[in-house]
C-alpha cells in the first residue's frame, strides 16, 4: 500500500458518493484549497483532520495513517502538463515567469515568494462579459541571505 | 534583427538608466505587470505605447516596430525553470495543479481559466511575521463546448 | 477504478460488439467528433449522454459516473506521437505552426484560436485523384487583454 | 549563409515595410497560407515565385536561390511549443489525436491523412458571440499497403 | 484487454511452438515482413488473415477481433532505441538523414518517400567476406502540394 | 574553424553554382549516396577525393584538410527529426524496428546488420500509379560473440 | 550585454591575474562560498561589493551595474550535470534525496530546508587516510502552512 | 520479488507501527542517515543489520536477503525531483554547482569529493529566528590521476 | 510471460540460493562476463547453456525457451544511469568519448570498435594503495566502407 | 575567451600541422590517452605540460593558462552520443551496465570502480580475422562507507 492507493480510493469514494470539495473541506475543517490538495496527496493532515476524512471516505486505519505521513509531492504525470485546465497555469509561468521575478525583486529585493508559507483562495468573480476565475495567492517573501 | 535583440537592448537600457518597472509602466500608461511582460517580449504594444517605450529606452524606428509585432511567447530557457524565484511558481503548478483543476470544475463546470483574457496584480502584503507577496489573478472562465 | 479503466472497457465493448463511432454518436445524441473524444476520456458527458453510453457499453453505475467527471485530458502516451496517423497532425503543427500564428494575428490581432470554445467536423471529400480527408475547425478568437 | 538568415531577413523586411501576408501572397501568386509557410522556410518556391519575393523583400541573387532550395522543415524551437497561439494547435493533437485517428479509420480504413498532399484555408467566421477562426484542412487519404 | 495483450500472447505462442516468421507468413498468406509487423501490432489484418493467425496462435474470438482493429503504431519503448540491432537503423537515419533528403529532392523534387504506401523485402546476400543483410525498400513518392 | 563551417560553405557553393549531387559524385569519383553524406560531414574523404571536392567548391587548403578528418557524425539537430522527408525514415524505425530485428535474427541468428560495413543505393522506380523511391541497403551481418 | 558576458569577463580576468577565490572574497568582504557564487552570476552584490569586484576585475560602470541586478539563477548547462565534480552532488540528491526528506520531516515536521535563507561553508578536513572535503550547510526550516 | 517490494513493505510497516527513523537506526546499530538510506534501498546491510531490520519490520527470510544485496541506486522517480523538500537540494546543485567545483579545486586541486567514501549528519540548529536544518557532509577528496 | 519475468525469476533464485556469478558461469560453461549479461537478458543462450541455467534456477520449459530467444537489449531504466557503480562507466563515455574516437581513428582509420564482435574480462588488480578493478575490452575494428 | 575556444584552436592547429596524438603525447610527456583527453578539455595540465602544448600549438599566454585551469568536463553534445564510434561505448554501458555492477560487487563488495583514480590504455590487437581494438581500464575500487 502507498499514498497513491489512498488517493485513488478517496477520488473513487468522492465520485461514488457525489461529494463536493467544499463539503469535504467543511467536514475536515480547513479551506477547500488546502483540503483538495491534501486529498490529492499534496498536504499532510493532522490526526483530527485525518479522522474526519477517514470517516467521510470509509478509510481503514492504515489508510488513515497515510494521510498523516508527509507525501512525496508533485501531482502531475508529466513535466509539462497535458490537461488544458492545468496547462494554462503552466502557460502563465512561461509567459509571466520573468515578470513575476522582476516585480518581486523590484518591490522586495533579491528573494522569492515562498511556495511553502503560502496560501491561496479561488473564487468566482461575477462579470457581465462572462464570470471570471479569481485566485488570490499569498506567499511570504524570503530574502536571499548574504554571508 | 529580431525581438530578442530588442528585449536585450531594453534590459540593458533599464540597467544603465537605473529605471524601475513601475516608472516605466507609468510612462507607457499601463499596469506594471503588463508593461514588464511586454518589455520582456511577451505582450504586444500599440503605437502609442511603443512610442513611449522607444523614447524611454532610446530605440530606433525599426526597433520600435518590433514592439508592435506579436511576439513568439515563452520567457524561459528551459521547460522546468532553474531560477528559484520563478521555480516556485512552477512548483505551485506541480503541487496545486490538480487542485486548481478540481476547484474550477466544481465551481464552474468543465472548462478552463483563460490565460489570454487574463490580468493580474502583484503587491506587498504587510505582515508582522514578515511581509508577503500577494498576487491576484483574474481569468475569464471558458466552458468546453459540446457539439 | 479510474477513468482509464472505463475507457478501456468502452473500447473493448466497441470491438466486441462491432460498433461504429457514428452509431454510438447517434445513440449519445452528439456529433461523432465529440462523442469519440468523450469515449476516449477527453470530454465530459452529462447525465443523459452518460446514460445512453452506459446502456450501449454495459457499464456499471460507478463506471457511468466516471463519464460525468471532468477527465484529466491528454490522449497520447508520448509528447511527440509515434502513431503515423496522429503524427501527421503533429507535423502540421511543426510545419505550419508559425503560419497559423501569423495569419491569426494578421486577421484578428494579438490573440488565439480557442481550443475550448471549439468544434470540428471531419468528412470525406470526393476526389478523382483519390478521396481526401476534410476537417473543418472552428474556434472562437480570444484577444489578449491589455491592462 | 543559410535558409534561416534568409527567413530572418524576410521577416525584418516585412516589419520595416509594414507588409501584410495577404499582400505578399498576391504578389507571389499563391494562397496566403502557402506563401506565409514558404517565407518561414517551410515550403519551396519556384523561380517565378522566388523572383517576386526577392523583389518585394530586396533579396540578393544568392538569397533568392535559397528560396528555391527544399528547406529542412520544422518551424518550432521546442518539441512542445511555448507560444500560446501555436500551443492551442498542439493541444488539439493531445486532446483530439485519438479521435482524428479513429474517425479516419472508420471512414476510410487503415491509413492516414497526408500532410504533404495537403492544403488549408484560414478565414474569419462571423459570430454574434464573438468571431471565430475557421480552418479548413484537406489532405489526401493514403491507405496502408498490404504486401 | 488491449492490443498489447494480444501481441504478447502471440509472441509467447510463437516461442512455445517454435514457429518461424516465414512459416507464419505462409499461413497468413502475406510477406514475412508485413506479417511480422502485423503480429507485433503494427499492421491491420483482414478477416481471412486474422482467422489464419487466430488458428495458428490459439486466439479467442475477442483476441482475433483486435487483429482487425487499426493499432496505435510505434513498436519501440524509447525514442532512441537501446537494442543494438534496431539502433543501427536509427543510426542510419542520423548519419544518412540529410543524404536521404537531398537525393530524394534531387531526383523527384520537393516531397517525401511515403512510409504508408510502402513495402520492403529483407533477404540474405551471399558474400565471401561474410554474408550481408539486404533490404529493398520501395515507397511512393509524394510531392508537396502548392496552393 | 570546424567541420560545420566547411559543410555550410559546401552547401552554399552548391546553391550558388547550381550543382547536382550526381555531378559532384562523378567529380569526386564515388557513388552519389556516399558523396552526399561526405559533403554533409558524415564520411571521410581521402586525399584525391578531397582535392576534387576542394576544386569544385573553391575550398582553401585548411578547409580541404577538414574533409580528410574523421567527422563527429550525426546529421540531425534533434533526436526525433522534424523534417517530414527525414521523419518518414524515423517512422520506419518506429513501425518496423521490431520486424527488422526479428527477421535478421530468424535468418542469421543473434547479431546485427552493420551500419559501418554498409552501402546503399537510391533510385527511381517507374510506376504507373506514381513513381516510387527505391532504396537498396546492404550491410554486413555481424554475429554476437560468445565467450 | 548581459550577465553571462560579465561572468565570462570575470572568469577570464581571474585566470589572467591568477587570483584565488579566497583572495577575491577578502576583497569583496564576504565568505568565499557566497562570493564565488556571486561571481558566477548566482548572487546579487550590493554597491560596495560591486565596487570592490569591479576594481579587482577591471569592469566598466555598466558591467558593474549588472553585478547589482538580481540574476537569472542556474549555473549548469544541463539538467543532469556532466562534470564529475558537480555530478557527485547530483548523485547525493539521487541517493540521499528520500533520506533528506524523511529526516527533515521526522525532526521538524512537514516542511523544507530553505535554499534561500541558507549559508554554507566548505573546508578541508585533515584525515590520515586522505583529507576530506567538509561542507556544512545551514538552511532555515520552513513549515508548510495549513489554511 | 524485487528490492522495491521490500522497500514498500518496510515503509508500510513503519507507518503501521508508528516507528521513527532514529529508533530504527538504534535497533540496526548505525547512524539515522545511513539506516534511512538503507531502508529506502540505497545502501547494503550486512547480516547483523539485516537481522535487526527483518525482526523490526517482520520480513521473511527471502526479504531479508534482499537487504544484503547491493541495490540499483537512485531514489527519485524523475531526473529533476518534483517534491519541494527534495527539490531544494537539487536547487543547491543548480545554484552552487559551479561554486562547489571551484572551491574544491582551489583548496585541493583537480579532483572530486567522493560520494562513496562519504558520510553525513543532519541535525537541528537552534536559532531565535527560527530553527535551522544543519547538514554536515564529509567526503574523501579524490585527485584525478595523471598517466 | 516475457523475458523480464524470466530475468526477475533468475535474480530471485540467485538471491535465495546464495549463488555467485562465477559459479553460475562455470555451470553454464562460459565466461562470467557473458553469463551475467545473458542472465540479465542481454545475451542469447544456446540449448545446452539454457539447459544448465534452467536446471540451476529451476525454470520451466517455457521459461527456458525464453533464454534461447534473442532479447530486446538495453539493461538500464534511464538513458543516463542513476546507479553510481554504473554511472561511472557513463562518465567515462562523457569524459573520454572524444578520446576513444580520436585514438581509434589515429591507429586504425575511419571506423569503430565493434560492440558485437566484442569480449571483455573483469578482474582484481592487486595494488598496495588499494586494489583496482581491471577491465580488458577487445572489440573488432570495423572500417567504414567507401562506395 | 573560454576553454572551448582553446580546444577549437588546438584541434585546428593539429589539423593544419598534420600532427598525431601520439606525437603530441610524447611532446607533452604523458600517455596518448591522457593527453588527448587534456587537449579536448577533459584534463588539467601542469605548468610544464602546458608549456609544451602551448609551444606545439602556438598558443598565447592567456590560452596557455586555460590549459592549467580545471575544465568543466563532459565532451559530448548530447546525453546519448550520435557519433557511431562513440555510441558503441554508450551501447556497452546499456548492454553491460548491470553486468559491470554485478561483477564488481561480487569480487569487491558494495562500491564502485573510480573514474577519477583511473587510467587506461588503448592499443591494436593483431588478429588474423581482423585486428581488434584493445582497451585496458584500471580504476581504483572504492567501497561504500557505513556510518
Amino acid at each position: 500500500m502507498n499514498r497513491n492507493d489512498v488517493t485513488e480510493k478517496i477520488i473513487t469514494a468522492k465520485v461514488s458518493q457525489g461529494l463536493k470539495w467544499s463539503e469535504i473541506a467543511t467536514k475536515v475543517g480547513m479551506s477547500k484549497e488546502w483540503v483538495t490538495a491534501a486529498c490529492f496527496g499534496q498536504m499532510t493532515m493532522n490526526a483530527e483532520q485525518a479522522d474526519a476524512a477517514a470517516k467521510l471516505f470509509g478509510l481503514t486505519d492504515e489508510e488513515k495513517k497515510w494521510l498523516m505521513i508527509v507525501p512525496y509531492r508533485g501531482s502531475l504525470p508529466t513535466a509539462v502538463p497535458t490537461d488544458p485546465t492545468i496547462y494554462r497555469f503552466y502557460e502563465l509561468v512561461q509567459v509571466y515567469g520573468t515578470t513575476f521575478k522582476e516585480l518581486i525583486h523590484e518591490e522586495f529585493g533579491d528573494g522569492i515568494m515562498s511556495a511553502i508559507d503560502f496560501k491561496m483562495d479561488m473564487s468566482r468573480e461575477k462579470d457581465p462579459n462572462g464570470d471570471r476565475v479569481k485566485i488570490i495567492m499569498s506567499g511570504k517573501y524570503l530574502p536571499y541571505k548574504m554571508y
Side-chain angles (χ1 to χ4, degrees), chain A:
Chain A
M1 181 188 292
N2 57 42
R3 179 68 183 251
N4 287 344
D5 299 332
V6 182
T7 300
E8 189 160 332
K9 185 164 177 184
I10 287 177
I11 306 296
T12 303
K14 178 179 176 292
V15 170
S16 291
Q17 301 176 235
L19 293 166
K20 302 194 117 194
W21 291 115
S22 53
E23 298 163 5
I24 297 167
T26 305
K27 291 275 173 46
V28 174
M30 304 298 288
S31 71
K32 66 183 185 305
E33 287 78 13
W34 187 89
V35 171
T36 305
C39 288
F40 269 88
Q42 303 297 318
M43 298 290 160
T44 313
M45 293 190 180
N46 63 24
E48 200 178 354
Q49 296 157 350
D51 273 344
K55 199 171 299 170
L56 198 55
F57 298 122
L59 305 181
T60 67
D61 249 36
E62 193 178 333
E63 289 164 346
K64 188 179 76 177
K65 273 180 193 154
W66 278 105
L67 297 181
M68 301 161 66
I69 302 294
V70 182
Y72 188 95
R73 289 176 167 94
S75 68
L76 304 178
T78 50
V80 177
T82 60
D83 182 82
T85 308
I86 299 178
Y87 182 83
R88 295 309 180 271
F89 291 91
Y90 178 79
E91 188 173 303
L92 291 175
V93 179
Q94 270 286 164
V95 170
Y96 281 109
T98 43
T99 297
F100 289 142
K101 179 175 173 64
E102 289 293 317
L103 294 180
I104 287 175
H105 295 331
E106 178 159 310
E107 175 66 27
F108 293 90
D110 186 5
I112 65 163
M113 178 185 81
S114 179
I116 307 297
D117 186 339
F118 174 87
K119 65 184 175 186
M120 69 164 187
D121 178 83
M122 184 180 285
S123 61
R124 177 188 290 264
E125 193 179 16
K126 284 292 187 185
D127 190 305
N129 297 320
D131 286 3
R132 301 177 74 83
V133 181
K134 183 178 178 181
I135 299 174
I136 303 179
M137 297 174 161
S138 163
K140 192 178 181 182
Y141 170 69
L142 299 177
Y144 258 95
K145 193 183 184 64
M146 279 186 181
Y147 56 94

